[in-house]
Amino acid sequence: MAFYHKLGKIPHKRHTVFKKPDGSLYYEQLFGTIGFDGMYSNSYHERRPTQVKEMKVGYSVKPKIAIGNNLKSYRFKGFKIVPAPDYLESRKVILTNSDVDIALASPQASTRNYFYKNSDADELLFIHKGSGKLRTHLGNLNFKYGDYLLIPRGTIYKLDFDDENNRLFIVESRRPIYTPKRYRNWFGQLLEHSPFCERDLRRPYELETNDEEGDFVIKIKKQGEIFDAVYATHPFDVVGYDGYNYPYAFSIHDFEPITGRIHQPPPVHQTFETDAFVVCSFCPRKYDYHPESIPAPYSHSNIDSDEVLYYVDGDFMSRNDIEEGHISLHPAGIPHGPHPGAVERSIGQVETKELAVMVDTFKPLLITEEAIEIADETYYKSWLEGNH
Ligand SMILES: [Fe+2]
């Protein structure tokens, strides 16, 4: 996150003596990115955070590739992903490349017997169904329908769900995820023309400080494998921290759409950026107000990016036969656009209720075996007119 946050108690100066009430020391940890050049936080722990008891052999969770070189448009029916009790087992990667995994998850139960940490990737969780609390070693965040949860790599976390009905759209990014640079001033502050500002970004508000010894399993993801690391002290033992590197939440309902007299291009919907893909939020908004405007998009050749749309809610004006939870993939290399009739249908309409999340990747996406199980293989012909 591009602004400072402090939670709990910290010493007056960093790297100085910080004593517990009994006179012994708290233990400092630097939680930093991009070597020592990126965002970081300094946290203060009841126990040394390095006490590994056992490191078990890793097991692979790498996605299995069904189609390595794809030129077909696809539709995937995301709600056909079968729910599973466990959060990590419920995560199914649908699309992948060397920068990003795009996954769906339908966990039925809160994470109880382990903590989770992704050491390779920032995780962006979009909450489509469900509510609860994200619990991390840097504090907690409540979440509900429409929230993005940005969990920086290295964050130790658990998810508590209020009930069994949960649907998540997950972007796992090996490149750091930031808010768009063009919306920030030289100091990092979000500018007046940004579709959201710092007030919309929710920071951790509650620290859990457990001064406990025992056997604490952190499932650590590294290079496509998960290692069960058994720690001798509770991973949530922070008494305070400050800095810029911490998880945060942003509700898609707080995104203020940018509209115009004629059709605005997808970058106006941009919410997050990396150097390998962008994430956009398509939110309910007033349509273009030029008297001759065509609110539906024009056909476009995304010549050098694959385009993924995750449909959340509302009526999807440019598409026929699209329902919530569906994912469309429009690959680089061929043009795509509104379905037959959608352009004509859009003329004269004044607003849209559509809600969708878009991920545009600069490298091509590979399609996994899990994706093929929920794929509509005929979608790529859905632009044909008449009796072809
Ligand atoms: Fe498109």
Side-chain angles (χ1 to χ4, degrees):
M1 174 47 58
F3 59 95
Y4 178 80
H5 182 49
K6 177 186 151 194
L7 194 61
K9 54 181 183 177
I10 57 174
H12 178 62
K13 293 284 284 183
R14 53 189 173 176
H15 323 318
T16 60
V17 169
F18 183 30
K19 285 186 177 170
K20 299 177 186 173
D22 70 2
S24 62
L25 290 174
Y26 288 114
Y27 299 94
E28 188 180 37
Q29 178 182 190
L30 176 75
F31 185 60
T33 56
I34 317 180
F36 287 86
D37 278 346
M39 291 191 227
Y40 65 93
S41 293
N42 278 306
S43 54
Y44 298 87
H45 299 251
E46 292 281 0
R47 310 282 176 126
R48 282 176 291 111
T50 47
Q51 299 185 56
V52 178
K53 263 185 164 174
E54 193 180 351
M55 186 66 73
K56 298 193 175 160
V57 176
Y59 55 93
S60 176
V61 288
K62 277 190 187 127
K64 295 193 176 76
I65 308 304
I67 302 171
N69 191 9
N70 173 58
L71 197 53
K72 257 172 42 176
S73 292
Y74 267 96
R75 174 174 62 162
F76 306 104
K77 298 181 175 179
F79 281 7
K80 281 190 155 184
I81 289 287
V82 179
D86 179 67
Y87 170 53
L88 292 181
E89 286 175 16
S90 80
R91 288 166 59 131
K92 309 289 183 201
V93 177
I94 303 300
L95 300 163
T96 184
N97 66 26
S98 58
D99 299 315
V100 63
D101 289 341
I102 297 172
L104 294 167
S106 186
Q108 295 168 306
S110 304
T111 28
R112 283 278 165 258
N113 301 323
Y114 64 88
F115 302 80
Y116 172 58
K117 174 167 102 170
N118 193 325
S119 69
D120 291 325
D122 291 3
E123 295 195 348
L124 182 67
L125 276 48
F126 178 78
I127 310 296
H128 191 173
K129 303 276 179 194
S131 61
K133 184 181 283 191
L134 168 67
R135 298 165 58 203
T136 84
H137 77 288
L138 295 176
N140 299 338
L141 285 157
N142 294 322
F143 63 81
K144 61 179 188 299
Y145 165 55
D147 280 342
Y148 290 105
L149 299 173
L150 195 300
I151 306 170
R153 66 198 62 203
T155 305
I156 303 166
Y157 77 85
K158 289 184 165 212
L159 284 170
D160 280 4
F161 296 106
D162 292 336
D163 61 42
E164 294 183 353
N165 183 24
N166 305 293
R167 293 275 175 186
L168 313 180
F169 175 72
I170 299 173
V171 179
E172 200 177 319
S173 174
R174 287 169 276 283
R175 314 300 306 158
I177 302 176
Y178 304 126
T179 53
K181 192 171 181 206
R182 70 176 186 283
Y183 288 136
R184 284 187 268 117
N185 66 18
W186 192 80
F187 303 95
Q189 185 178 15
L190 289 160
L191 288 160
E192 277 289 304
H193 69 288
S194 170
F196 52 89
C197 76
E198 283 80 0
R199 285 185 208 180
D200 301 316
L201 306 175
R202 284 141 46 209
R203 291 168 279 178
Y205 71 97
E206 173 184 71
L207 262 182
E208 290 182 42
T209 309
N210 301 279
D211 184 11
E212 284 175 35
E213 292 182 329
D215 294 296
F216 300 94
V217 175
I218 307 180
K219 289 184 177 289
I220 303 176
K221 187 169 183 186
K222 182 167 183 174
Q223 296 197 65
E225 293 189 1
I226 289 182
F227 299 81
D228 284 14
V230 184
Y231 274 80
T233 62
H234 199 296
F236 294 173
D237 73 339
V238 173
V239 295
Y241 71 92
D242 73 340
Y244 283 53
N245 194 24
Y246 51 84
Y248 65 93
F250 171 63
S251 171
I252 197 169
H253 307 302
D254 285 330
F255 186 92
E256 298 302 331
I258 295 169
T259 59
R261 249 163 70 86
I262 54 172
H263 188 83
Q264 298 294 297
V268 300
H269 306 283
Q270 193 183 349
T271 314
F272 299 102
E273 77 179 7
T274 73
D275 59 11
F277 65 90
V278 297
V279 177
C280 298
S281 305
F282 287 81
C283 298
R285 62 194 181 279
K286 291 275 192 252
Y287 269 145
D288 322 325
Y289 46 89
H290 186 289
E292 298 286 312
S293 69
I294 297 176
Y298 29 81
S299 291
H300 48 284
S301 267
N302 34 321
I303 291 169
D304 48 12
S305 63
D306 276 18
E307 180 195 282
V308 176
L309 259 170
Y310 179 71
Y311 299 90
V312 181
D313 199 3
D315 180 29
F316 302 104
M317 170 268 295
S318 63
R319 313 242 76 88
N320 302 335
D321 194 24
I322 284 282
E323 295 168 19
E324 61 169 2
H326 284 188
I327 295 174
S328 62
L329 168 65
H330 301 137
I334 52 171
H336 68 278
H339 275 140
V343 166
E344 294 79 0
R345 216 162 51 221
S346 76
I347 296 170
Q349 293 198 30
V350 294
E351 64 173 347
T352 174
K353 303 279 190 206
E354 71 180 4
L355 193 65
V357 175
M358 187 172 83
V359 181
D360 274 13
T361 64
F362 306 145
K363 285 186 198 154
L365 288 161
L366 290 62
I367 298 173
T368 68
E369 291 179 3
E370 306 277 6
I372 291 299
E373 285 180 24
I374 59 167
D376 170 1
E377 295 281 357
T378 63
Y379 174 74
Y380 76 102
K381 296 183 181 179
S382 62
W383 287 267
L384 277 173
E385 290 180 15
N387 303 317
H388 295 287

